[in-house]
Amino acid sequence: MADYQLFIDGAFTDAASGETFATYNPGTGQKLADLPKAGRDDAIRAIEAARKAFDEGPWPKMSGAERAAKLRRIVELINQHSAELAELEALDSGGTILKAQMADVPGAVSAFEWFARMAEERPDRVDLEGSPFPVSQNYIRYEPIGVCTGIIPWNFPLIMAAWKIAPALAAGNTSVLKPASLTSLSALKLAQIIAEADLPPGVVNILAGPGGTVGEELASNPLVDKTAFTGSTEVGRRIMQLASGTVKAVTLELGGKSANIVLDDADLDLAAAGVLWGTFFHGGQVCESGTRALVQRGIYDEFISLLVEKANNIVVGDQMEMTTNIGPLVSRGQVETVERYVKLGRDEVGEPLCGGGAPDNLPDHLDKGAFYRPTIFADVDNKAKIAQEEIFGPVLCVIPFDTDDEAVAIANDSIYGLAGGVQSGNIERAEAVAARMRTGTVWINDYHLISPERPFGGYKQSGIGRELGTQGYDIYRQVKHVHINPETSGRDNHFHYGVLGV
Ligand code: NAP
Ligand code: MG
């Protein structure tokens, strides 16, 4: 028996096959719950329910204000369950309980709040001035797209679920969501919360199950109109192929290898803290992490010693302790990936200045945990594999540069273009550098601050489209141009028909 159920067509259910899979706390290795393992048939049933809810149900026909009221009810319910949600998220993903309380739950809440506001404030109809045609009246109707599927990764499970469900619902679409298999708990809990908000059946469907079956169905099924995917660039390419069969709309939020540029006029103490925060928050398992620190040569040696001194103070341990700065990585598998890259770094670059393994002072109950220390490689060539490939763990490459032009060139020498940072005492100079970085976000004297109120997404192989902001609402709407010729009889305003001689 599974401890949670799938949410399909307004009802809770086991997988059709009856299969289950277990989910674990990556800090202790303890099993947390057995989850229903959906298959293709469950995915098809969920998609059909979402199709019916869109084609025949009330949701897309409701006013923005009515939908906003339902989203605000979800906010109320999330707030009522916030302690439980935060605990589940931290236990299942390895992120710290502090992050879960300060970022994950409030982040999900603010996404539902923002898109409720969008539903109320963004007009459904915009009248267009003038007429490029013979006398006519033209306007734009913004309409929902239809059935929207979401496929999300394991690093911010609850926030990612909210980023997919909230804008889809706000704009009048119906939704089917698949969380990552390593971290499906909070999404299944969210399903229970959404059920309490009493939306029409089929408007939201949530399924735990493998990417290879459930995920592929969500990206390829002909009844789906749009797929939004967050995850690796490799799987993103596959999603585009699958969606191309019926030319679905696609939004992709993919990998990154972001550069955090430290100019020689920066406050070194602040910039060192900014670089560490930008890299090691959540163990580096953040797509926009600034995992390449580009440091100007005049301040290089001093900056490196500050970095290492501060990095050694970061506490790695039990994610449920409030004093822990970094919990375990999401899985032993993720530790193995990091170990592979650190070995490669030792061959390519030499010994890291700190880290390079698990902490050696962990208590007994954590000795099977997926822990890894903040690891810093200095004097890295940007062409090295560890500077080009996304590691998705606590590994920082420090790369020296001489001029601002060179910093920009190195920052842009990447297949990715998700984000970046510039740390400087001179905002004008920092802005000039930021303007030349080919990324979807640049933080000046800061890092990692993301809000539903501001657009987020990538250039180059970091993705297509923007989530969040007004852009992230409009991307869930179709644009219909309506043209009215006011002449209901006669030909004075229909002379173009004459081209055909009719
Ligand atoms: P992943 O392997 O790409 O998986 C992401 C999601 O896709 C999971 O739900 C996965 O399901 C599913 N999936 C896997 N294969 C699939 C397929 N063939 N068809 C459809 N769905 C499939 O990524 P991850 O390992 O979970 O996360 C790490 C990566 O995500 C990193 O590269 C990181 O940069 C990226 N990421 C990007 C952002 C962003 O906003 N740009 C945010 C977070 C993470 P299973 O879990 O069942 O395999
Ligand atoms: Mg994966």
Side-chain angles (χ1 to χ4, degrees), residues 99-111:
K99 161 183 168 287
Q101 289 168 355
M102 302 291 291
D104 296 315
V105 176
V109 162
S110 61

Side-chain angles (χ1 to χ4, degrees), residues 89-145:
E89 190 77 331
L91 284 169
D92 198 27
S93 69
T96 62
I97 186 72
L98 185 69
K99 161 183 168 287
Q101 289 168 355
M102 302 291 291
D104 296 315
V105 176
V109 162
S110 61
F112 278 99
E113 280 173 340
W114 171 252
F115 288 111
R117 234 181 94 184
M118 291 290 93
E120 281 172 341
E121 290 177 8
R122 301 281 292 169
D124 293 338
R125 172 181 162 142
V126 174
D127 290 300
L128 303 172
E129 299 281 316
S131 168
F133 309 110
V135 179
S136 69
Q137 185 200 343
N138 308 144
Y139 61 90
I140 302 289
R141 269 174 64 84
Y142 291 97
E143 299 180 349
I145 295 177

Side-chain angles (χ1 to χ4, degrees), residues 1-4 18-26 29-38 92 180-185 188 208-209 330-331:
M1 253 293 279
D3 301 304
Y4 288 78
E19 280 186 72
T20 62
F21 69 106
T23 193
Y24 300 90
N25 173 344
Q30 264 170 354
K31 182 161 118 176
L32 295 169
D34 284 312
L35 308 180
K37 183 176 173 183
D92 198 27
S181 295
L182 285 171
T183 56
S184 294
L185 260 189
L188 294 177
V330 72
S331 64

Side-chain angles (χ1 to χ4, degrees), residues 139-412:
Y139 61 90
I140 302 289
R141 269 174 64 84
Y142 291 97
E143 299 180 349
I145 295 177
V147 174
C148 297
T149 58
I151 302 171
I152 57 175
W154 41 255
N155 56 348
F156 290 86
L158 187 62
I159 289 183
M160 293 289 133
W163 285 16
K164 300 295 184 258
I165 293 173
L169 263 51
N173 305 283
T174 58
S175 168
V176 184
L177 179 85
K178 186 201 101 61
S181 295
L182 285 171
T183 56
S184 294
L185 260 189
S186 57
L188 294 177
K189 182 70 205 172
L190 183 66
Q192 296 172 3
I193 288 170
I194 288 176
E196 266 189 77
D198 210 18
L199 307 184
V203 170
V204 176
N205 306 271
I206 300 180
L207 306 165
T213 53
V214 174
E216 298 237 340
E217 193 61 42
L218 297 193
S220 61
N221 189 297
L223 299 180
V224 173
D225 298 292
K226 174 182 165 82
T227 292
F229 170 78
T230 300
S232 61
T233 294
E234 189 188 348
V235 177
R237 290 188 194 103
R238 174 79 183 138
I239 299 287
M240 276 183 93
Q241 282 174 348
L242 292 168
S244 71
T246 51
V247 197
K248 294 183 208 324
V250 179
T251 319
L252 302 175
E253 301 281 2
L254 308 176
K257 193 77 189 180
S258 298
N260 198 349
I261 300 174
V262 184
L263 300 178
D264 57 7
D265 57 14
D267 175 313
L268 295 194
D269 194 71
L270 177 66
V275 163
L276 295 171
W277 157 250
T279 315
F280 296 121
F281 170 63
H282 197 27
Q285 302 168 110
V286 188
C287 48
E288 36 75 349
S289 290
T291 47
R292 292 182 295 151
L294 278 43
V295 181
Q296 200 149 14
R297 236 180 268 272
I299 54 166
Y300 189 81
D301 291 335
E302 193 185 341
F303 191 76
I304 295 260
S305 30
L306 265 174
L307 264 188
V308 173
E309 183 193 317
K310 288 181 193 292
N312 282 326
N313 293 332
I314 296 173
V315 178
V316 180
D318 189 339
Q319 75 268 33
M320 304 313 285
E321 300 280 345
M322 287 302 272
T323 49
T324 296
N325 300 128
I326 304 178
L329 303 186
V330 72
S331 64
R332 287 295 320 165
Q334 197 58 22
V335 171
E336 283 161 23
T337 301
V338 171
E339 281 170 344
R340 249 195 341 270
Y341 275 107
V342 170
K343 178 172 182 313
L344 192 67
R346 286 191 159 108
D347 296 342
E348 282 184 308
V349 178
E351 210 36 40
L353 300 183
C354 60
D360 45 21
N361 53 351
L362 288 169
D364 285 353
H365 73 291
L366 302 179
D367 64 2
K368 290 192 187 57
F371 296 96
Y372 208 89
R373 286 171 58 209
T375 299
I376 300 178
F377 287 100
D379 304 331
V380 179
D381 180 340
N382 193 56
K383 299 284 181 214
K385 270 209 167 82
I386 58 165
Q388 287 290 325
E389 295 183 12
E390 182 174 54
I391 300 173
F392 227 60
V395 181
L396 173 65
C397 295
V398 187
I399 303 170
F401 70 89
D402 287 307
T403 63
D404 293 12
D405 285 351
E406 193 190 352
V408 169
I410 296 172
N412 288 339

